[in-house]
Amino acid sequence: MNTYRRAKKSGYSLLTTLFIMTALSVSLGMLITIGRQRMFTANNLTDQVKATAYAEAGIDFAYSILSADFEARHNPSAFSLNASGSNALSSASSTYSSGILSSYGDGSFTLTLTSVSNRYVIIHSSGQCGNAVREAEVVVEDIFAGSGGSDATDYSTMEGFNYAILSGGQFDFKGSGYVAGSQKMHSNSAIEINGSAQTEINVSSTASIKVGNNTVEGSVTAPSLDLHQTANITGESTTASVPPVTIPDIDLTPYFNWAKDHGEVYVGDFSTSSSYSPNGGIMYVIGDVEISSHAVISGSIIATGNIHITGAAEIIPNTSVFAMATESGDLENTSSGTIEGLVYSKKGNYKQTANGVLKGQIIVGGDVQKGGNSDIIMFTQSIPTPPGGVSVTPTKSLPLISAWQK
């Protein structure tokens, strides 16, 4: 009997041992599988990050070539990585496609260059590492291309001055009133026309155009058009890619120097409700400006801060083309009076309401809002010419990346 019990116990022990070994084996197998999956996931994520880096490296490589010589966009051999390296670009119409231009480390990038015009080039770069593929795309712009080249000597060669209204941001055109002049209006962002506003102008947008129950006596062109069924577009309605237009970078230093020489530089905020004629025709304020009541400014207002025209104030330039200009501030016109000349802000916004009239040109880097019963009429091309015969050459900037597509 004892022998039987011992044998029975030994059998249980063996089964227990086998069960434990099996459980350990299964657990170990699962741990190995999970470890491999985690390693695969980690490697895949690493490859994705590297692929993005390679795609951006391709952008940098192509941009470095264009920065040195923008005309290289017509020279495929300029994009060879090295003499014995990967494929040079082969030209085909305006699109230059490539094989793998760079293959270093464990990744590579492939480039495609599309010349939109003699001013814009789209660079598309596809980066790859392992099985991961990432893409990057930018628009490169030469501000002087097709407009006098790098030897441009004045602002007249800049495309931006060909527009009655040029906005770097969004354009909202509401209320009543109208824009007249049979000229061009462009926004590097969305344009929306609503209310009872009317335009006698060709409208283009780099982003989109939305028109409500309005009349546009001209053409509309944008990548995306949203036209109400009652919208009346007398010209062409074209859905197409529209390149951005560079906001001119006007050097205001000569105007500061002129105002200083004539005792018209003001430090701190400036406000007046009385008519004023700046000595020399230009006042320069290091701060904000507010002109109110029935004041008539016979000259130009230039400031480092914001400028607000209210009441029934008027601005009539006599020495320069500027009605009002600011380095980086916002411009607001809530006057029922008349403003003549160029309204300019490199980075700020422009807002016009009430029932006043603007005769001139608007160029701002930010948003434009037109509301109320105000009108923008009688476009006059306003190309800055510094007073006193000072010669100013526009800043020679390198071709710049003006938009990231991806």
Side-chain angles (χ1 to χ4, degrees):
M1 182 64 66
N2 291 335
T3 302
Y4 170 76
R5 290 179 177 176
R6 284 197 297 271
K8 189 176 181 179
K9 288 182 179 179
S10 297
Y12 286 142
S13 298
L14 179 60
L15 288 174
T16 302
T17 301
L18 289 174
F19 176 77
I20 293 173
M21 291 179 64
T22 301
L24 289 173
S25 297
V26 172
S27 298
L28 182 60
M30 292 177 62
L31 289 174
I32 292 173
T33 300
I34 293 172
R36 287 176 177 173
Q37 289 178 342
R38 288 182 175 178
M39 183 176 296
F40 174 81
T41 301
N43 289 337
N44 187 49
L45 290 174
T46 300
D47 287 346
Q48 291 180 32
V49 173
K50 287 184 177 180
T52 300
Y54 279 113
E56 294 178 351
I59 297 292
D60 289 340
F61 171 74
Y63 176 66
S64 68
I65 302 299
L66 294 175
S67 294
D69 181 12
F70 196 71
E71 294 301 315
R73 68 191 190 281
H74 298 305
N75 181 18
S77 62
F79 292 85
S80 295
L81 187 62
N82 50 56
S84 60
S86 308
N87 300 338
L89 297 175
S90 56
S91 63
S93 183
S94 61
T95 299
Y96 310 123
S97 59
S98 74
I100 296 176
L101 277 180
S102 176
S103 180
Y104 53 88
D106 55 357
S108 59
F109 60 74
T110 303
L111 288 177
T112 300
L113 273 70
T114 303
S115 182
V116 179
S117 66
N118 60 348
R119 188 183 182 94
Y120 300 97
V121 172
I122 297 174
I123 303 174
H124 181 275
S125 178
S126 178
Q128 182 170 356
C129 184
N131 294 323
V133 177
R134 289 291 182 270
E135 298 181 349
E137 186 172 286
V138 299
V139 177
V140 177
E141 175 187 5
D142 182 3
I143 190 173
F144 293 107
S147 306
S150 59
D151 296 328
T153 57
D154 59 57
Y155 295 110
S156 64
T157 60
M158 292 185 174
E159 181 184 6
F161 290 104
N162 294 327
Y163 293 85
I165 304 173
L166 174 58
S167 168
Q170 184 166 317
F171 190 103
D172 289 322
F173 190 18
K174 300 176 181 177
S176 55
Y178 58 93
V179 172
S182 300
Q183 295 295 325
K184 299 189 296 182
M185 176 174 76
H186 176 85
S187 170
N188 288 336
S189 185
I191 294 177
E192 183 172 347
I193 302 175
N194 266 311
S196 58
Q198 297 185 45
T199 65
E200 298 176 11
I201 199 166
N202 295 315
V203 185
S204 62
S205 166
T206 301
S208 64
I209 296 176
K210 181 178 181 180
V211 181
N213 182 22
N214 303 86
T215 297
V216 176
E217 296 184 16
S219 300
V220 293
T221 307
S224 174
L225 296 178
D226 182 3
L227 309 179
H228 192 272
Q229 60 182 359
T230 58
N232 179 23
I233 311 298
T234 63
E236 298 289 334
S237 298
T238 306
T239 302
S241 176
V242 177
V245 178
T246 296
I247 306 299
D249 188 359
I250 303 175
D251 184 4
L252 298 177
T253 304
Y255 301 89
F256 169 81
N257 292 334
W258 178 267
K260 182 179 179 181
D261 290 342
H262 290 79
E264 291 291 342
V265 172
Y266 300 88
V267 179
D269 296 345
F270 179 94
S271 64
T272 184
S273 58
S274 302
S275 297
Y276 184 65
S277 298
N279 184 27
I282 299 173
M283 61 183 301
Y284 195 105
V285 178
I286 303 176
D288 297 337
V289 176
E290 181 169 355
I291 309 298
S292 59
S293 188
H294 289 76
V296 176
I297 305 300
S298 300
S300 302
I301 303 173
I302 301 177
T304 60
N306 304 321
I307 300 177
H308 185 194
I309 310 299
T310 185
E314 299 188 357
I315 302 178
I316 306 173
N318 49 39
T319 301
S320 79
V321 298
F322 289 113
M324 50 182 174
T326 174
E327 294 180 353
S328 58
D330 295 332
L331 305 170
E332 185 172 6
N333 174 16
T334 59
S335 170
S336 59
T338 299
I339 294 179
E340 300 180 11
L342 174 61
V343 173
Y344 172 81
S345 177
K346 171 63 178 177
K347 300 179 181 179
N349 307 311
Y350 176 70
K351 182 177 182 180
Q352 178 173 325
T353 56
N355 59 346
V357 174
L358 171 66
K359 299 178 181 180
Q361 191 171 13
I362 299 172
I363 299 179
V364 295
D367 300 334
V368 173
Q369 297 181 49
K370 197 215 78 69
N373 190 36
S374 61
D375 298 325
I376 302 173
I377 62 175
M378 295 177 61
F379 161 70
T380 302
Q381 189 179 50
S382 306
I383 299 173
T385 301
V390 178
S391 177
V392 173
T393 300
T395 303
K396 300 297 189 297
S397 57
L398 293 173
L400 53 89
I401 294 177
S402 56
W404 277 88
Q405 304 294 91
K406 297 181 180 179

